[in-house]
C-alpha cells in the first residue's frame, strides 16, 4: 500500500533517530567520561551527531524516490 | 336588415357631417360604403340583369351575392317553338291527308288501315259535300231558270205590248180619214194598249230585276261551290255556269229587244206628238181665222163664204209660203243636220258597236272560259285516271321491290346469324379452354403454395430449433455473466472479492465461439482474475486516509523533499481550510491542479459514487501525494476495469438474450 509507505518511513525514521540518539548519547557519555573529563560537550556533541545522522538518514529515506541515479556510459 | 340600415345610415351620415372630426369622418365614410353595398345588394335582388352586370364587372361580387341572396334565378326556356311545331304539323297533316297518296317527310307514315279509314271518311265527306252542293246548285239553277223564263216571258209580253201599241198609234196617226167614232175607239184602244204596254213594261222590269238577283245568287252559289273545291262537283259547276251564262245571254237579248221596241215606240210617239201638235196648231190657226168652223172641215165647203175662202186661201198661201220657206230652210239645214245627225249616229253607232262588241267579247270570253274549264275538267279526269294507273303500277313495282329487298335481307340476316352463331361457338370453346387452363393453373398454384408452406414450416421449425439453441446458449452466457457480476459483489469490507478466474472460465466455456465475449473475457486484468477486486465501499474508505496523507505531503515533490519541507507541508495542511467536497467544474483550469482542490473534487466524486471521476482527479496529483495515492489509484483502476468489462459482458449477454427471445 503506497499510503502506508510514508508511515513506514516515519517509523523507520523515528526508530533510527532513537537509535542514533541513543548511540550518540552513549558514545558521548563514553567519550565524555573517558576522554573529556565528564564534560557535557561530548554528550551534546554525540546527541547532535546522532540526531544529525538520523535526520540525514531520514531525509535520505524520504528523498530516495526522487533521487536520480546517473550512469556513466562508456564511449565505444 | 339592409333595408332598415339604409335610411339609418343616411341620417347618421348627415348628423355626423355636422360634427366632423377625423374619426367621425372615417366612421361616416364607412357607413356610407356600407349603405352603398346594402343598396346594391337590394337592387340586385330585385333586378337579375343588374345582378348579372355587377357580377361580370366586379370580381368577387358573385360570392357576395351567393351569400346574401342565394343563387341567381335561371331564365325559363321559351316554349313557343314547341307550340308552333305541332300546329304546323297539324296543318301539314290535314293538307297531306287530302293528297291521299303521299306520306310527307315531316310526319311519320300512318298505318294503312288508318289511311284507308281516313280516305273512306274523306270520300264520304266529299260525297256528302258533293251531294249538298249539287242539290244547292240544282235548286238555285231551277229557281233561276224559272225566274229567268218568267222574265223572258215578261220581256216578250212587253215587246209584244209595245209593238201593238206602236202599231195602234201608227194606225191612229195615219188613218185620219176614218170616222170620228172609229177614231175614238182607236184612241181608246190606243190608251188601253198604252196601259197594257206600261203594265207589261213594269212587269218585265220587275221580272228582270228578279231574274238578275237570282242570277247573282246563282253566281254566288257557284263561286261558293268553286271555293269548296270538291273535284266531283266540277261538272255540275260547269253545267251550272253554262246555264247561268246562257240565261244571262237570253235575258240580255230580250232586254235589248225590249229596248229597241221602246225606242221605236218612242219614235212613233214622238212622231204622233209632232203630228198632233201640227194638227192643233193648224186647227188653232184655222180657228183664229175662221172661228166658227169647227169639227171636220171636209163637210164645210158649202158653208164657207168667199171672204172666208179667200182668207182661208190667203192663209193657206201664206202657210204654203211659210212652209215653202221653212222647207227651203229645212233643206238648207238638212244637210248640216244630216251630217251632225250622221256624226251623232256614227258616235252612237260606235258606242253601240263598242258596247255590243264588248258584250259579245265578254260573252265570248265567258264561253271560252267555260270551254277551257270544261276542257280542263276533261283533262283532269284523264290525268286522274292516268295517275291512278301509274300509281297502281308504282304500287306493283313497290311490292316487287319490297319482295326483292326482303329476299336479300333474309339472306343477309341468315348469313349474319350464322356468323354470330359461329363466333359464339368459338367464344364458348375458347372460354371453356381458358377455364380449363385456369383450373389447372389454380391447382398447380395451390400445390406450389402448399409445397412452399411445407418448406416454410420446415424452415421455421429448423430456425426454431436453431433459435432455441441460440437462446439456450445466450441464457447460459447470461447466467455466467450474472455469476461473474455476483462474484463482484462478494467483496467484503476490506478484503477484495474472490478471484474471478472461475466465473470467467465459466463464461469462456459458455460463450464458446463468440469472439466478442472471448475478447472481453480475456480483456479482464490478471489481478482481478487472480486476486479479485476491491469493492467501491472499501475504496471509498481507503480514500479518506489517502486524502489525509496526501494533504500532509501536498508540498513535497522532486524539488522539495527535505524534512523541513515535510514539516512545512504538514503545517500547511493543518492551517489550510477548504471545503471537504467541492463539485468539480466541467472544464479544469490550471489553477484547479492544486492538490487540495483536486482532493476536494475527488472527495465530492467519491461521495457521489463516481469512482471513475475521482480516480481521474487523483490521477492529476503530482509529487509525493501522487506516490501516496498510487496504490489506491491502481486498485481503483482495476475495479473500474473489471466493472466495465463485466457490465459490457452483461449488456452483451442481455442483448443476445433479447435477440434470441422469440415472441409468443
Amino acid at each position: 500500500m503506497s499510503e502506508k509507505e510514508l508511515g513506514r518511513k516515519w517509523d523507520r525514521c523515528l526508530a533510527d533517530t532513537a537509535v542514533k540518539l541513543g548511540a550518540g548519547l552513549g558514545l558521548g557519555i563514553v567519550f565524555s567520561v573517558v576522554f573529556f573529563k565528564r564534560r557535557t560537550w561530548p554528550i551534546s556533541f554525540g546527541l547532535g551527531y546522532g540526531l544529525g545522522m538520523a535526520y540525514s538518514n531520514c531525509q535520505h529515506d524520504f528523498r530516495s524516490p526522487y533521487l536520480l541515479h546517473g550512469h556513466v556510459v562508456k564511449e565505444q | 336588415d339592409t333595408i332598415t340600415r339604409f335610411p339609418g345610415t343616411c341620417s347618421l351620415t348627415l348628423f355626423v357631417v355636422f360634427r366632423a372630426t377625423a374619426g367621425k369622418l372615417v366612421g361616416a365614410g364607412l357607413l356610407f360604403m356600407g349603405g352603398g353595398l346594402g343598396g346594391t345588394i337590394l337592387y340586385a335582388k330585385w333586378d337579375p340583369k343588374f345582378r348579372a352586370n355587377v357580377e361580370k364587372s366586379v370580381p368577387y361580387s358573385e360570392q357576395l351575392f351567393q351569400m346574401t341572396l342565394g343563387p341567381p334565378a335561371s331564365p325559363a326556356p321559351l316554349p313557343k317553338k314547341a307550340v308552333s311545331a305541332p300546329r304546323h304539323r297539324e296543318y301539314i297533316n290535314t293538307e297531306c291527308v287530302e293528297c291521299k297518296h303521299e306520306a310527307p317527310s315531316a310526319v311519320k307514315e300512318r298505318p294503312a288501315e288508318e289511311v284507308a279509314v281516313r280516305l273512306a271518311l274523306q270520300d264520304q265527306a266529299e260525297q256528302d259535300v258533293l251531294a249538298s252542293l249539287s242539290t244547292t246548285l240544282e235548286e238555285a239553277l231551277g229557281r233561276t231558270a224559272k225566274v229567268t223564263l218568267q222574265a223572258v216571258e215578261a220581256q216578250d209580253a212587253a215587246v209584244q205590248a209595245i209593238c201593238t201599241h206602236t202599231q195602234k198609234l201608227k194606225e191612229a196617226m195615219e188613218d185620219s180619214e176614218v170616222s170620228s167614232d172609229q177614231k175614238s175607239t182607236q184612241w181608246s184602244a190606243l190608251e188601253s194598249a198604252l196601259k197594257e204596254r206600261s203594265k207589261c213594261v213594269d212587269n218585265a222590269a220587275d221580272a228582270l230585276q228578279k231574274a238578275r238577283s237570282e242570277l247573282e245568287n246563282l253566281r254566288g252559289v257557284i263561286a261558293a261551290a268553286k271555293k269548296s273545291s270538291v273535284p266531283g262537283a266540277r261538272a255540275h259547276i260547269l253545267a251550272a255556269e253554262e246555264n247561268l251564262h246562257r240565261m244571262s245571254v237570253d235575258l240580255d237579248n230580250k232586254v235589248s229587244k225590249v229596248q229597241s221596241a221602246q225606242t221605236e215606240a218612242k219614235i212613233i210617239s214622238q212622231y204622233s206628238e209632232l203630228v198632233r201638235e201640227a194638227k192643233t196648231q193648224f186647227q188653232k190657226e184655222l180657228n183664229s181665222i175662221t172661228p166658227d168652223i169647227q169639227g171636220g172641215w171636209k163637210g164645210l165647203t158649202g158653208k164657207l163664204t168667199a171672204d172666208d175662202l179667200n182668207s182661208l186661201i190667203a192663209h193657206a198661201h201664206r202657210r204654203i209660203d211659210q212652209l215653202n220657206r221653212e222647207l227651203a230652210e229645212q233643206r238648207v239645214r238638212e244637210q248640216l243636220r244630216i251630217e251632225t245627225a250622221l256624226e251623232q249616229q256614227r258616235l252612237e253607232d260606235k258606242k253601240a258597236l263598242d258596247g255590243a262588241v264588248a258584250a259579245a267579247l265578254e260573252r265570248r270570253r265567258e264561253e271560252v272560259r267555260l270551254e277551257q274549264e270544261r276542257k280542263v275538267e276533261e283533262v283532269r279526269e284523264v290525268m286522274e285516271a292516268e295517275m291512278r294507273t301509274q300509281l297502281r303500277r308504282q304500287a306493283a313495282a313497290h311490292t316487287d321491290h319490297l319482295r326483292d329487298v326482303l329476299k336479300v335481307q333474309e339472306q343477309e340476316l341468315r348469313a349474319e346469324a350464322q356468323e354470330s352463331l359461329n363466333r359464339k361457338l368459338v367464344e364458348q370453346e375458347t372460354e371453356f379452354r381458358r377455364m380449363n387452363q385456369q383450373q389447372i393453373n389454380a391447382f398447380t398454384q395451390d400445390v406450389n403454395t402448399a409445397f412452399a408452406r411445407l418448406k416454410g414450416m420446415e424452415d421455421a421449425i429448423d430456425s426454431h430449433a436453431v433459435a432455441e439453441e441460440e437462446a439456450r446458449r445466450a441464457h447460459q452466457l447470461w447466467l455466467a455473466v450474472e455469476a461473474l457480476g455476483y462474484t463482484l459483489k462478494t467483496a467484503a469490507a476490506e478484503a477484495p472479492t474472490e478471484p474471478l478466474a472461475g466465473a470467467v472460465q465459466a463464461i469462456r466455456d459458455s460463450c464458446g465461439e463468440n469472439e466478442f465475449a472471448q475478447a472481453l473475457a480475456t480483456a479482464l486484468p490478471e489481478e482481478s482474475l487472480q486476486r479479485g477486486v476491491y469493492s467501491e465501499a472499501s475504496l471509498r474508505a481507503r480514500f479518506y486516509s489517502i486524502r489525509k496523507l496526501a494533504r500532509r505531503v501536498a508540498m513535497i515533490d522532486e524539488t522539495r523533499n527535505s524534512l523541513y519541507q515535510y514539516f512545512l507541508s504538514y503545517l500547511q495542511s493543518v492551517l489550510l481550510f477548504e471545503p471537504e467536497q467541492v463539485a468539480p467544474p466541467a472544464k479544469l483550469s490550471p489553477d484547479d491542479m492544486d492538490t487540495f482542490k483536486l482532493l476536494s473534487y475527488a472527495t465530492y466524486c467519491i461521495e457521489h459514487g463516481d469512482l471513475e471521476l475521482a480516480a481521474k482527479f487523483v490521477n492529476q496529483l503530482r509529487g509525493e501525494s501522487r506516490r501516496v495515492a498510487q496504490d489506491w489509484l491502481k486498485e481503483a483502476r482495476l475495479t473500474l476495469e473489471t466493472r466495465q468489462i463485466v457490465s459490457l459482458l452483461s449488456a452483451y449477454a442481455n442483448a443476445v438474450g433479447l435477440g434470441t427471445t422469440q415472441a409468443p
Side-chain angles (χ1 to χ4, degrees), chain B residues 442-490:
Chain B
F443 181 67
T444 321
Q445 206 170 21
D446 285 341
V447 164
N448 282 345
T449 46
F451 190 67
R453 277 175 67 199
L454 183 67
K455 262 219 128 38
M457 276 199 288
E458 279 179 5
D459 285 341
I461 288 167
D462 286 341
S463 67
H464 258 275
V466 165
E468 274 203 23
E469 182 66 32
E470 285 284 318
R472 196 183 57 74
R473 230 179 284 138
H475 195 61
Q476 259 192 330
L477 175 65
W478 185 80
L479 280 172
V481 166
E482 278 296 302
L484 178 61
Y486 194 68
T487 54
L488 277 180
K489 287 191 196 126
T490 59

Side-chain angles (χ1 to χ4, degrees), chain B residues 25 97 124 153 185 209 223 269 305 337 344 389 400 459 484 533 543 558 590 607 657:
Chain B
L25 268 175
V97 162
Q124 195 64 35
E153 280 170 14
T185 51
Q209 201 68 24
S269 71
T305 59
R337 274 204 205 122
Q344 258 184 5
T389 47
D400 282 339
D459 285 341
L484 178 61
V533 290
F543 176 75
E558 302 92 17
E607 280 304 311

Side-chain angles (χ1 to χ4, degrees), chain A residues 1-7 9-10 13 54-67, chain B residues 534 542 545-546 549 553 556-558 561-564 566 623-632:
Chain A
M1 296 295 180
S2 60
E3 64 265 22
K4 294 195 173 114
E5 188 65 35
L6 266 175
K9 274 187 187 170
W10 277 113
C13 186
Y55 185 86
S56 177
N57 269 356
C58 214
Q59 196 165 287
H60 181 81
D61 194 10
F62 275 117
R63 266 189 191 168
S64 57
Y66 300 107
L67 286 172
Chain B
Y534 281 96
R542 206 166 134 183
S545 60
I546 298 288
L549 213 54
V553 295
I556 311 299
D557 60 13
E558 302 92 17
N561 49 22
S562 65
L563 276 175
Y564 178 58
Y566 271 89
E624 191 63 33
S625 319
R626 190 192 179 76
R627 281 191 65 238
V628 157
Q630 199 68 36
D631 264 349
W632 184 88

Side-chain angles (χ1 to χ4, degrees), chain B residues 30-95:
Chain B
L30 279 171
L31 278 170
F32 186 67
M33 269 181 1
L37 198 71
T40 317
I41 290 172
L42 267 178
Y43 188 59
K45 189 174 180 179
W46 185 65
D47 183 12
K49 267 194 222 153
F50 175 70
R51 179 178 174 163
N53 277 339
V54 168
E55 279 179 8
K56 255 192 282 180
S57 51
V58 177
Y60 287 105
S61 54
E62 280 179 357
Q63 276 104 332
L64 181 68
F65 283 138
Q66 285 263 356
M67 266 195 309
T68 50
L69 301 176
S74 57
L78 300 169
K80 276 187 195 164
K81 290 232 168 90
V83 167
S84 67
R87 217 182 282 161
H88 186 62
R89 214 173 280 163
E90 193 59 43
Y91 182 72
I92 289 171
N93 278 353
T94 53
E95 277 280 293

Side-chain angles (χ1 to χ4, degrees), chain B residues 29-328:
Chain B
L30 279 171
L31 278 170
F32 186 67
M33 269 181 1
L37 198 71
T40 317
I41 290 172
L42 267 178
Y43 188 59
K45 189 174 180 179
W46 185 65
D47 183 12
K49 267 194 222 153
F50 175 70
R51 179 178 174 163
N53 277 339
V54 168
E55 279 179 8
K56 255 192 282 180
S57 51
V58 177
Y60 287 105
S61 54
E62 280 179 357
Q63 276 104 332
L64 181 68
F65 283 138
Q66 285 263 356
M67 266 195 309
T68 50
L69 301 176
S74 57
L78 300 169
K80 276 187 195 164
K81 290 232 168 90
V83 167
S84 67
R87 217 182 282 161
H88 186 62
R89 214 173 280 163
E90 193 59 43
Y91 182 72
I92 289 171
N93 278 353
T94 53
E95 277 280 293
C96 287
V97 162
E98 288 200 3
C99 301
K100 271 197 236 178
H101 292 287
E102 290 175 25
S105 57
V107 179
K108 67 177 190 308
E109 211 169 290
R110 290 147 192 276
E113 306 87 31
E114 201 185 320
V115 167
V117 161
R118 278 189 97 92
L119 284 176
L121 278 174
Q122 193 72 27
D123 284 341
Q124 195 64 35
E126 268 188 27
Q127 290 293 335
D128 293 340
V129 165
L130 194 66
S132 67
L133 262 177
S134 59
T135 44
T136 46
L137 274 173
E138 278 170 21
E139 268 179 38
L141 260 174
R143 257 206 321 275
T144 319
K146 206 168 40 176
V147 167
T148 317
L149 269 171
Q150 277 178 357
V152 162
E153 280 170 14
Q155 301 290 349
D156 281 338
V159 163
Q160 201 67 38
I162 289 169
C163 281
T164 46
H165 177 250
T166 44
Q167 195 66 37
K168 286 243 166 60
L169 191 61
K170 232 189 265 178
E171 280 176 17
M173 285 300 102
E174 278 167 12
D175 298 340
S176 45
E177 296 87 22
V178 176
S179 66
S180 54
D181 292 341
Q182 277 187 329
K183 211 42 142 185
S184 55
T185 51
Q186 266 186 350
W187 283 118
S188 56
L190 193 65
E191 280 203 23
S192 64
L194 180 66
K195 260 191 250 168
E196 186 74 34
R197 170 191 156 173
S198 51
K199 199 169 69 179
C200 283
V201 164
D202 286 340
N203 271 356
D206 284 342
L208 179 70
Q209 201 68 24
K210 257 191 270 178
R212 281 254 158 82
S213 65
E214 278 300 324
L215 279 171
E216 282 302 319
N217 276 354
L218 183 62
R219 206 168 283 150
V221 165
I222 286 172
K226 264 201 222 162
K227 239 191 275 180
S228 76
S229 67
V230 173
R234 258 187 220 293
H236 293 274
I237 289 170
L238 270 174
E241 272 190 353
E242 272 185 20
N243 280 339
L244 171 74
H245 177 66
R246 241 183 279 127
M247 280 192 285
S248 61
V249 161
D250 285 342
L251 207 60
D252 287 340
N253 284 344
K254 289 290 183 255
V255 163
S256 63
K257 250 192 235 164
V258 164
Q259 273 180 353
S260 64
Q262 270 188 334
T263 44
E264 226 182 276
K266 205 187 288 181
I267 290 170
I268 299 291
S269 71
Q270 269 184 357
Y271 166 67
S272 72
E273 280 293 323
L274 269 174
V275 164
R276 203 183 290 136
E277 204 181 300
K279 260 199 193 144
T280 49
Q281 182 74 27
F282 189 63
Q283 199 72 31
K284 242 196 288 185
E285 280 177 7
L286 214 56
N287 284 344
S288 74
I289 296 170
T290 55
D292 45 296
I293 300 173
Q294 45 209 324
W297 55 282
K298 281 238 170 119
L300 298 169
T301 47
K303 293 176 193 162
L304 290 171
T305 59
D307 280 341
D308 286 338
L309 274 170
N310 284 341
S311 60
L312 198 66
I313 290 165
H315 180 74
H317 273 295
R318 255 187 275 129
R319 191 87 180 132
I320 289 167
D321 283 338
Q322 197 197 357
L323 284 172
N324 279 336
R325 254 185 279 129
E326 272 190 29
L327 192 61

